Every structure is written in C-alpha cells, then in structure tokens.
Amino acid sequence: QVQLVESGGGLVQAGGSLRLSCAASGSTFSFNDMGWYRQAPGKQRELVARIRSSGTLNYADSVKGRFTISRDNAKNTVYLQMNSLKPEDTAVYYCNTMEWGVHYWGQGTQVTVSS
C-alpha cells in the first residue's frame, strides 16, 4: 500500500518562500514519476510540477521560474521549493504518484499566501 505524507505548508506573505516535502512509503519510489498538484477553493485540481523517474521536469506555466521540484530517492522524498509566492498560489497542495495504473494522493497541505 502506497502512502504519501506531505508537510511544510503554512501561512506566508507575498514574496516569501516555503518548501513542501512528501515522504513516500510502500512504493517503488525511485521508479515512479512524482507530482505536486494544487486545488484552490472552487477550482479544479491542477498539476503544479512533475519529476519523472528519469529526472525530467515539468512545470505549470504559472509557476515556472518560481517553483522547483526535486527528489531524494535515498529518502523516498519529493520536494517543492516555492519562491516569490503570490496570493494566487493559495491552495491545498497534494503529492501524487501512480503505480500499476493506480493514482495515489497524500492528505494535502494548506498553503496560504497573504497580500
């Protein structure tokens, strides 16, 4: 059973930074693509960043140049460094992976950016 546990969310002023962490267990972590998604109130969940097992990175246009995704396979952990945060980045952030065709999600961590 794959389990994902996010941490690192919080309240920050616009222009500030946060680093989210997602610890994975029960998975073949190093072989999996890992992603960060977010969902703001009244909006659909959207992909923020993805790091493939090959190391290939993908970012939503809205966060390019501000957010950086990385992974530490030895620690089974994926990170999302968020800089120059904006109020529109306010959302619940979820860690995601897929294994054998099944999507797995963490419980989410709230990020609130005040103006």
Side-chain angles (χ1 to χ4, degrees), residues 38-85:
R38 67 186 180 188
Q39 188 166 19
K43 294 188 177 181
Q44 288 190 329
R45 192 171 297 189
E46 63 174 355
L47 176 67
V48 175
R50 178 190 294 123
I51 182 166
R52 301 201 181 269
S53 57
S54 63
T56 300
L57 308 178
N58 302 102
Y59 294 97
D61 287 343
S62 59
V63 306
K64 283 181 181 177
R66 300 188 298 122
F67 290 11
T68 302
I69 189 171
S70 62
R71 64 192 298 163
D72 184 336
N73 289 339
K75 295 182 178 180
N76 283 9
T77 300
V78 62
Y79 304 97
L80 185 68
Q81 178 67 43
M82 305 185 294
N83 298 328
S84 302
L85 282 160

Side-chain angles (χ1 to χ4, degrees), residues 7-113:
S7 61
L11 173 64
V12 64
Q13 288 188 329
S17 298
L18 285 173
R19 188 175 83 151
L20 306 183
S21 300
C22 172
S25 61
S27 75
T28 54
F29 181 84
S30 62
F31 297 103
N32 292 1
D33 299 345
M34 301 295 299
W36 284 99
Y37 288 70
R38 67 186 180 188
Q39 188 166 19
K43 294 188 177 181
Q44 288 190 329
R45 192 171 297 189
E46 63 174 355
L47 176 67
V48 175
R50 178 190 294 123
I51 182 166
R52 301 201 181 269
S53 57
S54 63
T56 300
L57 308 178
N58 302 102
Y59 294 97
D61 287 343
S62 59
V63 306
K64 283 181 181 177
R66 300 188 298 122
F67 290 11
T68 302
I69 189 171
S70 62
R71 64 192 298 163
D72 184 336
N73 289 339
K75 295 182 178 180
N76 283 9
T77 300
V78 62
Y79 304 97
L80 185 68
Q81 178 67 43
M82 305 185 294
N83 298 328
S84 302
L85 282 160
K86 304 175 181 180
E88 51 264 43
D89 294 319
T90 295
V92 178
Y93 284 70
Y94 297 92
C95 182
N96 167 269
T97 191
M98 188 170 70
E99 194 164 290
W100 296 107
V102 178
H103 277 276
Y104 294 92
W105 299 90
Q107 82 286 356
T109 185
Q110 177 71 46
V111 171
T112 303
V113 184

